[in-house]
Amino acid sequence: DTAVSQTPKYLVTQMGNDKSIKCEQNLGHDTMYWYKQDSKKFLKIMFSYNNKELIINETVPNRFSPKSPDKAHLNLHINSLELGDSAVYFCASSQEPGPVNSPLHFGNGTRLTVT
Amino acid sequence: GDSVTQMEGPVTLSEEAFLTINCTYTATGYPSLFWYVQYPGEGLQLLLKATKADDKGSNKGFEATYRKETTSFHLEKGSVQVSDSAVYFCALSAIQGAQKLVFGQGTRLTINP
């Protein structure tokens, strides 16, 4: 059973399009995250939700809109895609918001390529 | 702001070799430190952590010691196996404010039989 699953695994699209990445966790965790891995391979947090409420928003362009319909899902919608949005996007979850006492469980990533 | 720097990869070793992957950090205060590992085809998972100076985290034969004086958290293993081939990420979490993980760029490790 996959604990944190993201779809799709690969996404190739053109500039200006709108796309969504879905994430689901079956661990019963309260907190979910989106991370972006840039071209230099650094993983940077974008958003964090706890019990469907936004708790971290890291200066991400408002073209990116997370949606949490319930605690088990955190989807990422991206409007008007730009070349610089090309990256690998990772979803993660944890039991509590603080990573010190509650390890993060990551999905396998979605590789987004904007042409 | 807070940051983590790891040694550049990729790193290639033979089975049973000694492994060190260097990690240094910059942070205000005394963060908690982590190593996460990503095996091929899988998501990242926590390998070990240390929450205060001089603490040693250990798991699966890997160890890392929180060195405040050198702001380092180097990952070591005495005898690596082919199954250790993965990408290793060093990370920190500040104590104050929103507790978020700040990652290094990852180090790809390949172990040859």
Side-chain angles (χ1 to χ4, degrees), chain A residues 21-92:
Chain A
I21 306 172
K22 296 186 176 181
C23 179
E24 175 182 6
Q25 54 95 4
N26 62 7
L27 297 168
H29 287 167
D30 288 340
T31 308
M32 296 187 72
Y33 311 79
W34 278 108
Y35 277 81
K36 177 180 179 181
Q37 186 175 38
D38 61 23
S39 57
K40 295 185 177 179
K41 305 299 184 187
F42 285 95
L43 271 160
K44 295 180 181 176
I45 191 167
M46 301 173 68
F47 302 102
S48 171
Y49 271 72
N50 186 51
N51 282 323
K52 302 195 299 176
E53 290 191 16
L54 181 68
I55 56 174
I56 294 177
N57 182 341
E58 281 292 299
T59 320
V60 177
N62 58 15
R63 298 184 295 104
F64 290 79
S65 52
K67 297 262 191 313
S68 183
D70 54 58
K71 285 198 311 182
H73 296 84
L74 181 62
N75 303 323
L76 183 65
H77 189 75
I78 315 171
N79 289 330
S80 303
L81 277 155
E82 300 177 357
L83 292 176
D85 297 332
S86 295
V88 181
Y89 293 83
F90 286 93
C91 177

Side-chain angles (χ1 to χ4, degrees), chain B residues 37 39 45-48 58-63 77 79 84:
Chain B
V37 58
Y39 297 105
Q45 57 187 274
L46 178 66
L47 179 61
L48 54 85
S58 61
N59 186 24
K60 299 183 180 181
F62 290 90
E63 293 183 340
K77 186 173 184 180
S79 177
D84 294 327

Side-chain angles (χ1 to χ4, degrees), chain A residues 9 33 35 37 40-45 55-56 58 90 97-109, chain B residues 4-5 32 34 36 38 41-46 49 51 89 93-95 98-106:
Chain A
K9 187 173 182 179
Y33 311 79
Y35 277 81
Q37 186 175 38
K40 295 185 177 179
K41 305 299 184 187
F42 285 95
L43 271 160
K44 295 180 181 176
I45 191 167
I55 56 174
I56 294 177
E58 281 292 299
F90 286 93
V100 176
N101 295 318
S102 186
L104 272 64
H105 297 253
F106 283 79
N108 291 1
Chain B
V4 175
T5 302
S32 293
F34 308 81
Y36 274 75
Q38 183 180 24
E42 300 182 13
L44 283 78
Q45 57 187 274
L46 178 66
K49 71 177 183 182
T51 57
F89 292 87
S93 174
I95 301 293
Q99 291 185 20
K100 59 186 182 184
L101 282 173
V102 175
F103 285 92
Q105 72 271 42

Side-chain angles (χ1 to χ4, degrees), chain B:
Chain B
D2 298 345
S3 66
V4 175
T5 302
Q6 292 180 232
M7 66 186 290
E8 295 265 347
V11 174
T12 303
L13 296 171
S14 298
E15 210 166 16
E16 299 183 3
F18 184 86
L19 168 71
T20 300
I21 300 178
N22 289 338
C23 171
T24 57
Y25 67 89
T26 302
T28 52
Y30 303 109
S32 293
L33 302 173
F34 308 81
W35 278 99
Y36 274 75
V37 58
Q38 183 180 24
Y39 297 105
E42 300 182 13
L44 283 78
Q45 57 187 274
L46 178 66
L47 179 61
L48 54 85
K49 71 177 183 182
T51 57
K52 61 182 188 295
D54 300 325
D55 265 3
K56 178 185 285 187
S58 61
N59 186 24
K60 299 183 180 181
F62 290 90
E63 293 183 340
T65 301
Y66 189 142
R67 301 285 188 203
K68 186 178 68 174
E69 61 277 10
T70 54
T71 60
S72 65
F73 194 54
H74 304 321
L75 183 68
E76 296 181 336
K77 186 173 184 180
S79 177
V80 293
Q81 306 300 314
V82 172
S83 57
D84 294 327
S85 298
V87 182
Y88 292 81
F89 292 87
C90 187
L92 68 81
S93 174
I95 301 293
Q96 288 142 358
Q99 291 185 20
K100 59 186 182 184
L101 282 173
V102 175
F103 285 92
Q105 72 271 42
T107 302
R108 181 175 296 279
L109 173 67
T110 301
I111 307 299
N112 294 321

Side-chain angles (χ1 to χ4, degrees), chain A residues 13-24:
Chain A
T13 188
Q14 292 183 328
M15 286 175 55
N17 284 349
D18 303 337
K19 291 293 180 185
S20 292
I21 306 172
K22 296 186 176 181
C23 179
E24 175 182 6

